Structures are given as structure tokens and as C-alpha cells.
């Protein structure tokens, strides 16, 4: 049987691009016996193409029914297909997003589904086995993009190609985002410089910079993952995006209160012999709460805006999220430190 | 037609768990006409189950051939199926990993593939449309796990359930990793405390802590994504893992040299009026090179070890990667600073 020749070398943005045109269709007045002959005569281009549905259209080409080959075999040969076809149709819109379509049809047991245009005219067949490849590719792309591989190139690369690419190509895939992250990191460092005097007075403030950055990074990644995945699978749309956003912000606050309490407690215990231990613990607490809330909010909002502007939300959001949450959280942390610890200055 | 009732409520670890037992099989001496009758008599449990292959076995139940229903219709009714069946078989092993099997079969055009045990006995049928659901779920799980959702719970949750879960459940899914990251962040802060005197002498050292942490985080995520995705899709295995590892370390070094040069240059320019500008720039350069190399190496090795120990490499590696690269890079950064800037102490 061997592997099929067909290969999805392109990135499909619309269901129509993975639609197969190898199918058998007849009009509704066709006799069952004639429809069976159509199947016998049908010569698929590829040996492996299995075509086991008969699609029934009206004279304008609009899909009106479907029959499986088994149903066809069980029907009397001189009846017309209209009397036996199933009219409760499940169709896919040619303009639908393939990943969304895949999620929609994943729990249905059809090896192929008819694809129709906006007038209901049958334009082809979507084969579930082709969708498998699309989903695998899209999932890989989403994962690579959210790890900062430059998104224009990822679309052209097969995932296997990324492992085997030449070193210059790998660098071109990986470096752009890293350079943006470098700029963001230096900007965050600039915030610390603004509060250089405060830091000189209480060097211990520097000990909590890593934990604030780590927490923001993790919380932000969780929030953006929830948004990007929910969007890709069609669970988040315009109607409920605001509700999930409010929820995400509230969860960020709860996480911040829990993490902030633990972190603040640890800071107090660690620096308990210093005169400013209590103030420092409060600064760490507020810093951690702030970073969790800010990271949740920007982790959700930035991919959302990217998507609204027509960009891929899985790509190019993360360095922005990182920079915004780092700069905001470090500003709040050092500003509060400057206020609470000012008698030490 | 409606959605099928069947729902993959469990996480499939083996192909055998998603194997369908609704299929038609006959022994090789069966007449074609009788085989067609078998199809007519076959009553699938679900209306949507489409069964369009005839599986042909020997008397021991071993799969020896396959015929499509169309081929069956075109064969003379009083021939035996053995004379017309296809014997060049593509089968799936019942013990195979579903995601790997899906990647293997994604470019083949079969709506269903026979599943055999180690003796070649037909045990069921793997339907590509069921695989679609498995792949979608596994990709979602991989993505959620790598964003730090606790992995035991993710396996039980459908991705839609994560958006709609109760707040306590969401916190249980998200907090465990965040608490580990909190501990890791505090540990990294402890490294800074060790070099408190150096930091007091040159407070500007704190300005570059964010950029070193950001770069390590991004490079480490890229490395672990490459490893985890390559493993899931079967591109990385025991034979080539070492080669890709060496490659990843080399790429980390190249990235470090490029990023380190830019970062070191920026540090020199930024602090050019300070007497220690050159030393600081060198410390930042070495710190960035170190963190890129360490993050590439541990980003690849920790998921690899996790996988070897039988854990899911997509989960539970990231806080470890973050902590190891932060602690290592900050140690190198501050140690070198202490050495190069010691005349200022």
C-alpha cells in the first residue's frame, strides 16, 4: 500500500486549501443502481484514496444529502437516491480555519466531510486523515512560535526541518526574538538604575529581583497559553473573551496574594536581623502581587490585541509580555521600596 | 448525522487504547460474494461508524491481507478474497505511542488502519478520525504542561475544562509549579546575597541581572521545546539524541557569543563614564555567554533525563531548568565580577 504521494507542503489557512476534489456526486433523481455504477467507474488518482460517500446535490450543485456506500448497497437498485439519502447534513465551510475545523470534527466519526461554499454548493471533501497532518503541523507551529522561533520562518519550515536545518538558518529562526528579549532585559535594568540610590541603601532589594522576574514570567506564560490555546480550539471568541479576561485577572490576583504571602514571609525570615526586615517583606509582598496581576493581564491582553490586529497570537507576543511585566513590576517594587525605606536614604 | 457519542475521556498512552473493534474480517478462503454479504449484515453500534475495509486473516487470526469495499464490488462474486486482496500491508503496533503513530500515519490516505499485536494477530482498527482527537488533546496537553500546569491534573482535564474549571481547581492546576518557581527564584536571590559585598561596591551589577535572567529563560525554552517536540514526533530517539545535544550546545555557544557581544557593548556604552566600565562590560559578556550555553544544555538535558526516568518531558522540567540556569549564570556573573572588580572592594 505504501505511503501516499500527497504532501501538505504548504501552510493551510483555510479549510478550502486542504479540500480534496476526489469524490462521487450525483443529482438527487439518480437511480441507486446508477450511483453504484458511478462508484465502480470512479478511478481515484491515488490508489490509497478511499471514497465511500455518495454526495447528492440539486441541479444548482447545492449539497442536499449524503449516502454511505454501505447504505447504497442495501437500497433497491431502481429507487432514486433521494428516497434513501441522509438529509441531516454536517458540512464544513470552505473559509473555516483548519485547526478550528479539526477541533469541531475531532469527535465525529466520519472519514470525510463535505465542504460547501457560502451558497451551500459542494466544493470538495475534507478528509479527516489530511486534517491529522494539518493539526500536527499547526500544533508544532504554535509550540515553536511560543518558544520564540521567528514566526514567518516557522511557517515555511517543517518541524523536522528545524532539527536538521543549517546553523545559519537555525540562528535566523532563533535570534530575532532573543535580540528583542535582550532589549527588554536592558530596559528592565534601566528601571533598577532609576532607583540606584535606594538599592545602594538597601542592597538586599536586589536579592528579590530574580523571584519577581521568575514569577511574572511563569504567570504570564500560563495566561498567554490559556488565551492562545483557547482561541486556536475555538473556545474563546469575541462573545466570551471579556469574561475570560476578567476571570484571568481575578485568578492572577488570587495567585499573587498566595505567592506574595509566601514570598513576603520568606523575605522577612531571611532578613529578620535587619532593621528594615518588615518594610522589605511588605515591598516583596506588594511586588509579587503586582507582578502576578500585571503578568496575568498582559499575558492575556497582548495576544488578544495581536489577534485583533491580524497577527498570529502565538508568535511575537512573549517578548512584549516579558518586557511590560518586568518594567511594571520592577517600577512598583523599587518605587514602594523608595517610599517605605526612605528613612534609610 | 449529529456528533458521535464516543468520547475519549481518558488519556491514551498506547494505540491499543484507541483501537476500535468495529470491523469486518474474514478468512482468506472466503468467497467475495459472501464477504459482501458480511458487509451488508454488519450493524455498527454507532450510525456514524464507517467500515469500508475488509480485513483478511489466516486461521490463526493473523492479518494477511486487506480489500477495500470498492475492490470487493469490482471482484467476481465466486472468487475467493485471497485472489484479490492487497498483501502489502501497513499496520500499527498495538503498543505504539498514539502521538507517534499519528505522526507516522498523518501522510497516508487511509481512514482506518489495522492494529496488530506482536504475533501479527488483528486486534482492531485504528480510525484516523479518532486519532485526530488524540493528537489535538496531546498537543494541548504538551502546551499546557510546558506552561506549568500541574501535569497529573492536565491529563484528567479536557482543555475546554481548564477555561471553565472552578477557581479552586484552576489554582490547583496552576499553583504547584509557581511555588517551585518561587523557591527557585529565592535560591537565585541567595546567590546574589553571597556576593553582597561585590554588589555594594558596584551597584551597577544589579542592572544586568534582568537581562541575564531573560536571555537564559528564552534560550532554555527554545532548547526544551526543540527536544520535547522532536521526541513527541519521533524525530529524536536514542540513536541521534547525543548528536542533537552536541548541536544544541554549539548553537547555544554561537547565540551566546552574538547576544553577549551586543549586551556587553550595550553595558560598556551605558556605563562608559564609570571607571569600571570595561570590566563590567566583560562581566556582562561572559555572563551572557555562560547563561546561553548553560540554558541550551540544561534545556535539552533535563527533559531528556525526565524522559529516560519515565516522566513526561513536557512537564515538570521547566522550573528545574529555570533554577539551574539562573543559579549557574548568576554564580558565574558575580564570581567573575568579584575577581575583575576586586580592587574596588
Amino acid at each position: 500500500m505504501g505511503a501516499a504521494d500527497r504532501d501538505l507542503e504548504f501552510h493551510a489557512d483555510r479549510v478550502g486549501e486542504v479540500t480534496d476534489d476526489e469524490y462521487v456526486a450525483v443529482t438527487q433523481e439518480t437511480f441507486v443502481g446508477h450511483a453504484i455504477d458511478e462508484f465502480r467507474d470512479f478511478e481515484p488518482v491515488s490508489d490509497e484514496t478511499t471514497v465511500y460517500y455518495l454526495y447528492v446535490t440539486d441541479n444548482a450543485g447545492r449539497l442536499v444529502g449524503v449516502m454511505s456506500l454501505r447504505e447504497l448497497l442495501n437500497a433497491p437498485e431502481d429507487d432514486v437516491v433521494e428516497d434513501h439519502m441522509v438529509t441531516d447534513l454536517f458540512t464544513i465551510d470552505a473559509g473555516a480555519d483548519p485547526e478550528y475545523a479539526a477541533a469541531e470534527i475531532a469527535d465525529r466519526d466520519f472519514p470525510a466531510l463535505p465542504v460547501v461554499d457560502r451558497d451551500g454548493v459542494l466544493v470538495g471533501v475534507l478528509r479527516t486523515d489530511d486534517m491529522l497532518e494539518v493539526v500536527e503541523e499547526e500544533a508544532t507551529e504554535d509550540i515553536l512560535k511560543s518558544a520564540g522561533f521567528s514566526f514567518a520562518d516557522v511557517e515555511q519550515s517543517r518541524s523536522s526541518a528545524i532539527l536538521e536545518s543549517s546553523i545559519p538558518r537555525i540562528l535566523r529562526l532563533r535570534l530575532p526574538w532573543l535580540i528583542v528579549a535582550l532589549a527588554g532585559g536592558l530596559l528592565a535594568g534601566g528601571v533598577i538604575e532609576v532607583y540606584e540610590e535606594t538599592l545602594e541603601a538597601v542592597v538586599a532589594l536586589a536579592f528579590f529581583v530574580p523571584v519577581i522576574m521568575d514569577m511574572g514570567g511563569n504567570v504570564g506564560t500560563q495566561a498567554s497559553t490559556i488565551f492562545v490555546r483557547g482561541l486556536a480550539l475555538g473556545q474563546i471568541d469575541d462573545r466570551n473573551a471579556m469574561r475570560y479576561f476578567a476571570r484571568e485577572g481575578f485568578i492572577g490576583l488570587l495567585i499573587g496574594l498566595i505567592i506574595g504571602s509566601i514570598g513576603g514571609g520568606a523575605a522577612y525570615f531571611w532578613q529578620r536581623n535587619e532593621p528594615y526586615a518588615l518594610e522589605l517583606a511588605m515591598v516583596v509582598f506588594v511586588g509579587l502581587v503586582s507582578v502576578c496581576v500585571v503578568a496575568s493581564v498582559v499575558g492575556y491582553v497582548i495576544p488578544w490585541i495581536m489577534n485583533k490586529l491580524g497577527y498570529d497570537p502565538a508568535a511575537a507576543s512573549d517578548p512584549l509580555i516579558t518586557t511590560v511585566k518586568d518594567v511594571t513590576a520592577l517600577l512598583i517594587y523599587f518605587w514602594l521600596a523608595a517610599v517605605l525605606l526612605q528613612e534609610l536614604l
Side-chain angles (χ1 to χ4, degrees), chain A:
Chain A
M1 288 194 231
D5 289 333
R6 183 160 16 145
D7 214 339
L8 299 170
E9 284 291 334
F10 58 94
H11 175 75
D13 291 320
R14 293 169 56 252
V15 160
E17 295 172 45
V18 277
T19 298
D20 198 308
D21 57 2
E22 295 196 51
Y23 59 90
V24 181
V26 297
T27 53
Q28 57 211 101
E29 295 85 12
T30 310
F31 290 111
V32 167
H34 180 68
I36 294 177
D37 290 341
E38 288 276 319
F39 264 107
R40 285 211 167 95
D41 296 343
F42 180 72
E43 281 291 337
V45 174
S46 152
D47 269 358
E48 286 83 16
T49 303
T50 41
V51 176
Y52 293 117
Y53 281 108
L54 177 73
Y55 298 101
V56 186
T57 62
D58 63 15
N59 289 327
R62 281 188 293 265
L63 186 69
V64 293
V66 68
M67 270 183 94
S68 74
L69 184 46
R70 199 172 58 85
E71 287 162 346
L72 205 59
L73 284 177
N74 287 330
E77 298 217 347
D78 41 11
D79 280 13
V80 292
V81 293
E82 194 174 21
D83 297 338
H84 296 277
M85 70 190 188
V86 175
T87 55
D88 179 14
L89 297 173
F90 182 73
T91 59
I92 301 274
D93 186 76
D97 176 75
E99 195 168 5
Y100 175 74
E104 279 277 287
I105 67 180
D107 48 12
R108 293 170 203 264
D109 275 336
F110 305 113
L113 285 163
V115 178
V116 296
D117 67 15
R118 62 184 63 190
D119 299 317
V121 172
L122 180 67
V123 294
V125 165
L126 188 64
R127 304 166 56 81
T128 350
D129 50 343
D130 288 341
M131 292 305 288
L132 196 58
E133 194 167 354
V134 171
V135 169
E136 189 77 61
E137 291 291 348
E138 294 231 4
T140 297
E141 279 182 21
D142 286 352
I143 291 170
L144 289 174
K145 283 178 197 167
S146 69
F149 292 85
S150 69
F151 70 117
D153 281 338
V154 166
E155 300 217 348
Q156 293 159 22
S157 276
R158 290 1 278 152
S159 58
S160 56
I162 286 184
L163 274 171
E164 291 295 349
S165 290
S166 67
I167 301 280
R169 176 161 176 73
I170 281 278
L171 291 179
R172 213 170 62 232
L173 279 170
R174 292 176 65 166
L175 270 177
W177 189 343
L178 296 177
I179 289 170
V180 177
L182 180 74
L186 290 171
L187 193 64
V191 170
I192 302 181
E193 190 192 29
V194 172
Y195 290 95
E196 188 173 0
E197 280 180 44
T198 312
L199 184 58
E200 274 172 350
V202 185
V203 170
L205 283 168
F207 307 165
F208 301 95
V209 168
V211 81
I212 285 175
M213 294 185 59
D214 275 350
M215 293 321 300
N218 281 305
V219 171
T221 301
Q222 290 187 344
S224 68
T225 302
I226 287 180
F227 178 80
V228 170
R229 200 64 196 155
L231 192 75
L233 298 180
Q235 293 148 359
I236 293 180
D237 53 35
D238 279 345
R239 281 166 298 135
N240 61 24
M242 200 64 214
R243 183 167 64 83
Y244 285 128
F245 171 60
R247 198 178 145 89
E248 184 60 34
F250 179 64
I251 290 168
L253 178 64
L254 288 181
I255 287 175
L257 290 171
I258 295 168
I259 294 289
S261 303
I262 303 173
Y268 181 79
F269 183 75
W270 185 358
Q271 301 293 318
R272 65 189 175 281
N273 297 326
E274 303 292 340
Y276 48 75
L278 194 62
E279 286 84 353
L280 185 65
M282 274 191 61
V283 172
V284 170
F285 171 77
V286 173
L288 285 171
V289 173
S290 311
V291 82
C292 289
V293 173
V294 170
S296 291
V297 168
V298 299
Y300 190 100
V301 163
I302 291 181
W304 192 6
I305 294 171
M306 287 281 174
N307 183 54
K308 281 282 170 203
L309 295 179
Y311 296 104
D312 186 329
S317 332
D318 260 40
L320 254 177
I321 297 172
T322 304
T323 304
V324 172
K325 63 93 186 151
D326 281 352
V327 167
T328 313
L330 291 176
L331 271 176
I332 294 173
Y333 175 74
F334 279 105
W335 170 81
L336 189 70
V339 170
L340 287 184
L341 302 171
Q342 64 181 343
E343 70 270 23
L344 297 170
L345 294 181

